[in-house]
Amino acid sequence: MHVEVYQAKADFFRTLGHPARIRVLELLQNGPLPVRDLLAQIDIEASSLSQQLAVLRRAGIVSAIREGSTVVYTLATPELADLLNAARRILTDMLADQGELLAELRAEVT
């Protein structure tokens, strides 16, 4: 692999590195949503959501379609949902291991 590929991958993951962006992607896993629905389910200001959606759109991670006065967002590719599910499984396993370690440490104290 060339350095450019590593850089592209790093840029991709950096784009995902914001809680609001991850939340948007999780919500879009179930299908397209208008901005008003995203805003209702994410606890941020409309201007902040707009900025985060713009970052995702510029990176090609989400697509936007205007339907009248409404803008509807969708995942650019279904593999993004697979990535989010893989991350959830990895984090679950990591936290389970940490929970087991915590239990062992607590058992040593008693």
Side-chain angles (χ1 to χ4, degrees), residues 55-90:
V55 170
L56 293 170
R57 197 173 53 249
R58 279 192 305 270
I61 294 173
V62 298
S63 301
I65 299 169
R66 182 168 292 281
E67 295 178 356
S69 63
T70 301
V71 179
V72 177
Y73 281 86
T74 187
L75 294 178
T77 177
E79 284 80 10
L80 289 162
D82 297 337
L83 178 64
L84 292 169
N85 289 328
R88 185 176 294 113
R89 287 190 305 272
I90 291 165

Side-chain angles (χ1 to χ4, degrees), residues 15 18-28 33-40 42 44-65 71-75:
T15 300
H18 191 285
R21 292 182 212 144
I22 295 295
R23 184 67 180 128
V24 165
L25 297 176
E26 287 179 341
L27 292 169
L28 294 177
L33 288 173
V35 173
R36 69 177 172 273
D37 290 358
L38 291 170
L39 191 56
I42 300 175
I44 61 174
E45 297 294 321
S47 60
S48 294
L49 177 59
S50 178
Q51 290 173 349
Q52 301 309 326
L53 289 168
V55 170
L56 293 170
R57 197 173 53 249
R58 279 192 305 270
I61 294 173
V62 298
S63 301
I65 299 169
V71 179
V72 177
Y73 281 86
T74 187
L75 294 178

